[in-house]
Amino acid sequence: MTDPTTGVPSPTAAGAGAAGAPAADEGHLVLRDLVKTYPGRHGAAVRGVSLSVPRGAMLAVLGPSGCGKSTTLRMIAGLVAPSAGSVLVDGKDVTGTPAHHRDMGVVFQSYALFPHMDVAGNVAFGLEMRKVPRPERERRVTEALELVRLDHLARRRVSQLSGGQQQRVALARALVVRPTVLLLDEPLSNLDAQLRTTMREEIRRIQQETGITTVFVTHDQHEALSMADRVAVLHEGRLEQLGTPQEIYERPASRFTAEFVGRANLLPATVVAAASAGEAAAAEVEVPGIGRITAQGASPAPGEPVTVLLRPHRVVLDAHDPDGGIARGTVLTAGYTGETVAYRVRVGGSGPELDVELPSGSHRPSAPGAEVGVSWQQGAARLVPAAPRSGGDAEAADGGGPAGDRDPRGGAA
Amino acid sequence: MSAAAPGTETGSDTGSTTAPGAERPAPGRWTPGRTAAALLLPGLVALLLTYAMPLVWVARMAFNEPLPGGAIRQTLTLGTFADVLTDGHYWRVIWQTVELGALVTVFTLLLSYPLALFLARTTTRWRGLLIALAVTPLLISSVARTFGWMAILGNQGVVNKTLQSVGIIDTPLQLANNLTGVVIASTEIYMPFAILVMISGFGRLDPELERAAASLGAGRLAVLRRVVLPLTLPGVLTAGLLVFVLSLSGYVTPRLIGGGRVFVLATEIYDEAITALNWPVAAVLSMLLLVLFGLVIVVYTRLQRFVERRILGERGAAS
Ligand SMILES: Nc1ncnc2c1ncn2[C@@H]1O[C@H](COP(=O)(O)OP(=O)(O)OP(=O)(O)O)[C@@H](O)[C@H]1O
Ligand SMILES: [Mg+2]
């Protein structure tokens, strides 16, 4: 069994490995090397995804459009047959079990409510299939509708509900059967921003109240970071990284994750010397145009190229003392967004350009052309492994994936 | 680009059609409503000449009095109606017409439904070709197809010859020259219509709904019964209406395969008008056929409304 995250030389990957392969058998829901190739398509939609979700946890599957999130979810639900790999629930292999025997609740992106039944009819459907006697059925339907705060609309036709209400009916319909696993496919993508925030909290509340192991697909990083216990970042059908929201954001294991989750400055650099090893690994690196800086994270041997990640909001600009910071910079553009002021700053005479985000009101805004001192806190600069998927490349060949596609990204800073 | 301009004009025209009703336009002015009327006129005239006028003429004929030798006395009498409705022979004809229609409709729907369901749901890129294949029988005249069925179902036909040579039967099965043969041939002849109507009526079908049902624990049969069937019922009903009506007025198949032993309204009307030269009786039978059509439409509308109510969710949790 190959864990795609093994072999990545960073503490994050080590953490992911611990949650993935070795602990796999302890997870409530376990995916092992799931592969899906759709007939008549070049390349696989999912190229060997292995991960594990602990009992009662909420996992967000995060990735750009077309990366295979829905396909992965449908394989878990038994709605799409995997080309290879297996799905385990409670240690039992359910790969060959048809969907209607899997006992998983699914909330579809389009809700897929039955148009010929009313709200209560939709919610009762799963109970009828399970031959739950009528009095209990009615009681549980009422309970489920109370849970999603829709008990007053039980007799309403589903076509006469708002998007948010339909979404809650879909959630109640999936929850009422008390499934072993709850699967949500971008349940919030059709809602407006305000309703989305409300529903995020509501889904999280319900998930914690019921304690159902949940997998939740989204392409919205805020949703993933704010709702989930764990986040799996998917890219081109492969697992980029698996970790807690903090790990994903603060210690991305690849350039892709660093750029996809949050905003990022990615600076090419060269290792000078490893400053320390182990848990608090750090290295001294040479960044062209900035000079030598210290960056957190395990590093390859001196002389090797690396990438340094600097989050825009961790950078500080000092307009009074241009020479007092780590480097001297020139403001190129300044944009007021309300909560923050977004700057673009050129470091040194011909150095790299940095995105910088400062809270508005905390400083006197600098105009384009102003000279500023650029600095950041110890630990804000982080090394991103250069070859993030050395362990997964063998699988890439199997899946016929465009392994060469990833190379050009080296120069995109 | 040049095509877009007239298009947008028409769009704004139709948008303002409600306005002229409120404030009457000047008599000489050209309005969208008048354009519509002008466009409708040729069709209306054609319909009047080819449909309404003959119909009125037939209705009028039903009140004339037939005289021996094919002569007709122009009058206004209900005598022909009374003669027809008190004659057991005509009631048997009406009954057989309805019976044939019902049998053909049931068999056509049963055989067409699985095919239509498959064609509506399949994702293969051959779908278009398969649908075309399903309706290719329409390219051949139903007269030719009926003769084909005579060759298959007759005493010396393919079916009987095969069964006899295999030794399953000794005497030929009576598959032609009776109602059985007419039902078999009619079913095949109306199936393409039924399939086409069903496919276009299965719009509510959504594979995601079937997946949702499966994820809730519904096996294939339960999905079919609880999701697919209710959602396709309107399409099935419309197909049923079409087949029933076509069958009620069908002439060629009952005549040829019935072998003179299957009497339905269409063949009876022909015989009265052409052979017996009794035009008033033929006209009365035509009127009775029209009444049958009216009844069918009433029943269909009722059923349709009943199904729609269920489709739209009148059905509750505790069903
Ligand atoms: N039924 C199918 N047949 C063929 N190809 C498919 C099918 N479903 C998905 N694909 C392809 O597989 C890839 C992954 O699709 P998937 O739906 O899993 O993506 P996704 O991550 O859910 O994207 P999105 O965020 O847009 O929903 C895409 O390239 C898609 O075109
Ligand atoms: Mg999707």
Side-chain angles (χ1 to χ4, degrees), chain A residues 273-284 294-299 383:
Chain A
S276 56
E279 265 303 291
E284 201 173 334
T294 304
Q296 309 297 306
S299 71
L383 290 176

Short mmCIF file of all heavy atoms in Angstrom, two decimals, chain A residues 273-284 294-299 383:
data_model
loop_
_atom_site.label_atom_id
_atom_site.label_comp_id
_atom_site.label_asym_id
_atom_site.label_seq_id
_atom_site.Cartn_x
_atom_site.Cartn_y
_atom_site.Cartn_z
N ALA A 273 22.32 26.55 4.58
CA ALA A 273 22.67 25.59 5.63
C ALA A 273 21.43 25.26 6.43
O ALA A 273 20.54 26.11 6.59
CB ALA A 273 23.73 26.19 6.56
N ALA A 274 21.33 24.03 6.91
CA ALA A 274 20.24 23.66 7.80
C ALA A 274 20.54 24.25 9.16
O ALA A 274 21.63 24.03 9.71
CB ALA A 274 20.10 22.15 7.88
N ALA A 275 19.61 25.06 9.71
CA ALA A 275 19.87 25.72 10.98
C ALA A 275 19.60 24.78 12.14
O ALA A 275 20.30 24.79 13.14
CB ALA A 275 19.01 26.97 11.10
N SER A 276 18.60 23.98 12.04
CA SER A 276 18.30 23.01 13.09
C SER A 276 17.51 21.88 12.46
O SER A 276 17.01 22.00 11.36
CB SER A 276 17.51 23.67 14.23
OG SER A 276 16.35 24.25 13.70
N ALA A 277 17.38 20.79 13.18
CA ALA A 277 16.67 19.64 12.63
C ALA A 277 15.53 19.24 13.55
O ALA A 277 15.28 19.88 14.56
CB ALA A 277 17.65 18.48 12.41
N GLY A 278 14.84 18.18 13.20
CA GLY A 278 13.78 17.63 14.05
C GLY A 278 12.50 18.42 13.95
O GLY A 278 12.18 18.97 12.90
N GLU A 279 11.76 18.47 15.07
CA GLU A 279 10.43 19.07 15.09
C GLU A 279 10.47 20.52 14.63
O GLU A 279 9.67 20.95 13.81
CB GLU A 279 9.85 19.00 16.51
CG GLU A 279 8.95 17.80 16.72
CD GLU A 279 7.81 17.75 15.73
OE1 GLU A 279 6.92 18.61 15.82
OE2 GLU A 279 7.82 16.86 14.85
N ALA A 280 11.39 21.29 15.19
CA ALA A 280 11.46 22.71 14.86
C ALA A 280 12.51 22.96 13.79
O ALA A 280 13.35 23.84 13.90
CB ALA A 280 11.77 23.52 16.11
N ALA A 281 12.47 22.13 12.73
CA ALA A 281 13.48 22.25 11.69
C ALA A 281 13.40 23.62 11.03
O ALA A 281 12.32 24.18 10.87
CB ALA A 281 13.29 21.16 10.65
N ALA A 282 14.56 24.15 10.68
CA ALA A 282 14.62 25.42 9.97
C ALA A 282 15.91 25.43 9.17
O ALA A 282 16.78 24.59 9.38
CB ALA A 282 14.59 26.59 10.94
N ALA A 283 15.98 26.35 8.23
CA ALA A 283 17.19 26.40 7.42
C ALA A 283 17.47 27.84 7.04
O ALA A 283 16.58 28.68 6.99
CB ALA A 283 17.02 25.55 6.16
N GLU A 284 18.74 28.09 6.79
CA GLU A 284 19.12 29.39 6.28
C GLU A 284 19.13 29.27 4.76
O GLU A 284 19.72 28.35 4.21
CB GLU A 284 20.51 29.77 6.78
CG GLU A 284 20.74 31.25 6.71
CD GLU A 284 22.07 31.63 7.37
OE1 GLU A 284 22.52 30.89 8.26
OE2 GLU A 284 22.63 32.64 6.96
N THR A 294 16.01 33.15 7.39
CA THR A 294 15.75 31.86 8.03
C THR A 294 14.31 31.46 7.72
O THR A 294 13.41 32.28 7.82
CB THR A 294 15.94 31.96 9.55
OG1 THR A 294 17.25 32.45 9.79
CG2 THR A 294 15.77 30.61 10.21
N ALA A 295 14.13 30.20 7.32
CA ALA A 295 12.78 29.73 7.03
C ALA A 295 12.55 28.42 7.77
O ALA A 295 13.44 27.60 7.91
CB ALA A 295 12.59 29.54 5.53
N GLN A 296 11.29 28.24 8.24
CA GLN A 296 10.94 27.03 9.00
C GLN A 296 10.72 25.86 8.06
O GLN A 296 10.30 26.05 6.92
CB GLN A 296 9.66 27.28 9.79
CG GLN A 296 9.67 28.53 10.64
CD GLN A 296 10.74 28.47 11.70
OE1 GLN A 296 10.79 27.52 12.47
NE2 GLN A 296 11.62 29.46 11.73
N GLY A 297 10.96 24.68 8.58
CA GLY A 297 10.68 23.47 7.80
C GLY A 297 11.95 22.72 7.45
O GLY A 297 13.04 23.31 7.41
N ALA A 298 11.79 21.42 7.21
CA ALA A 298 12.95 20.59 6.86
C ALA A 298 13.44 20.98 5.48
O ALA A 298 12.66 21.30 4.59
CB ALA A 298 12.55 19.12 6.88
N SER A 299 14.76 20.98 5.30
CA SER A 299 15.32 21.44 4.03
C SER A 299 16.17 20.36 3.41
O SER A 299 16.69 19.49 4.10
CB SER A 299 16.17 22.68 4.27
OG SER A 299 17.36 22.29 4.95
N LEU A 383 9.49 26.90 4.46
CA LEU A 383 9.96 26.16 3.29
C LEU A 383 8.86 25.26 2.76
O LEU A 383 8.19 24.57 3.52
CB LEU A 383 11.16 25.28 3.66
CG LEU A 383 12.44 26.03 3.99
CD1 LEU A 383 13.52 25.05 4.43
CD2 LEU A 383 12.91 26.85 2.80
#
